[in-house]
Amino acid sequence: GGRPAAGGPPGEGEDTQAPGALPGTAARAAAQGLPGVPADACRETLRTLARLDRAFQGFSRDALTPKAIRDAIAAHHLDWIGLRSRTVAFPDAQAAQEAALCVREDGEDLAAVARAAVCEAVFYLDEAAPAIRDALVGARTGDVLGPLPVNGGFTLFQVIEKRMPSPEDPEVRRRAEQHVLDRAIDQEVTHRVRWHFAL
C-alpha cells in the first residue's frame, strides 16, 4: 500500500507523498538516528532536506523543457562538437611535415610513418587547446591536420570521427541540462535576493 497506481502521470509519486513523509533512505536514517543528534532534531532535519529535494526536482522538471535543451545546444553548437582523433607528436616541424605529406599525398597510414606512439583521443571542441581549436572546427572526417604547435612540439591530428552536438549524445545532453539549470538558478537568485547595503 501507499504506492501510486501504475500508469499515473510523471511525478505523481512525489505529488501524492504525505508532506511529512520521508523517503526510504531518510526514513531509515531517522529511525536509526545520527550520533550526537537528538532523534527529534534528526527527523525534522531529514524532513526539511526531503522537502528541499522534492522542490528542486520539481524546479528541474519545469526548467528542463525540450525547447530549453535545444536552445542550450544551439548556443554551444561549436563548443560541443565531438571529435575522435589519432594524434602523434614530433620533436621538430620538418619531421612532422614529412609525415603529413606521406599520409596526405601517398595515402600511407599515420602509424606507419610516425616516429613516436600514435594516440587516440575522444574529446569535445571546448576541451581542445586554443592553438588547435580553429583548425579542428573546419576539419572533416579523414582530414590530417598539422603540424600544429602543442606543448613545445609539433603534432599531427587525423580526424577519425566528427559528431555535431545532439540531445541524443548523453554527454551533450548532460552539458545542456547543467547549462539550463545553472541559468535558471542564477535567475532565481537574481530575482529573490535583496541586498540591504550598497555594493
Side-chain angles (χ1 to χ4, degrees):
R3 297 182 63 184
E12 187 177 66
E14 293 89 350
D15 294 337
T16 58
Q17 189 172 11
L22 289 170
T25 302
R28 288 193 295 273
Q32 295 170 1
L34 297 172
V37 180
D40 289 345
C42 180
R43 283 193 292 272
E44 185 55 37
T45 298
L46 289 171
R47 285 193 185 99
T48 299
L49 291 174
R51 286 195 296 270
L52 289 171
D53 183 61
R54 286 195 295 272
F56 185 72
Q57 289 177 13
F59 174 82
S60 299
R61 284 196 301 272
D62 291 342
L64 295 174
T65 65
K67 181 180 184 304
I69 296 296
R70 289 195 304 270
D71 290 347
I73 293 174
H76 293 83
H77 180 73
L78 293 181
D79 290 339
W80 295 348
I81 291 174
L83 294 144
R84 183 164 64 91
S85 71
R86 299 168 77 200
T87 64
V88 58
F90 295 83
D92 62 84
Q94 183 176 349
Q97 288 167 352
E98 290 174 357
L101 188 63
C102 290
V103 175
R104 292 187 186 116
E105 302 298 327
D106 301 333
E108 294 190 43
D109 184 75
L110 182 62
V113 299
R115 299 180 184 178
V118 176
C119 301
E120 185 168 309
V122 178
F123 57 95
Y124 290 86
L125 198 59
D126 63 356
E127 298 169 330
I132 65 173
R133 196 172 298 157
D134 289 345
L136 291 169
V137 167
R140 295 173 296 181
T141 299
D143 282 355
V144 176
L145 309 177
L148 299 171
V150 178
N151 296 328
F154 300 88
T155 298
L156 296 182
F157 289 81
Q158 185 173 40
V159 179
I160 305 302
E161 181 184 8
K162 187 175 184 179
R163 303 182 311 280
M164 293 298 106
S166 161
E168 279 69 47
D169 182 325
E171 173 60 15
V172 169
R173 187 171 188 87
R174 184 199 66 77
R175 287 169 172 236
E177 289 177 350
Q178 189 63 57
H179 175 79
V180 171
L181 282 178
D182 287 347
R183 291 196 62 183
I185 291 169
D186 286 346
Q187 289 172 358
E188 284 295 311
V189 170
T190 299
H191 292 155
R192 293 175 184 271
V193 172
R194 296 293 180 268
W195 298 105
H196 296 286
F197 54 87
L199 293 176

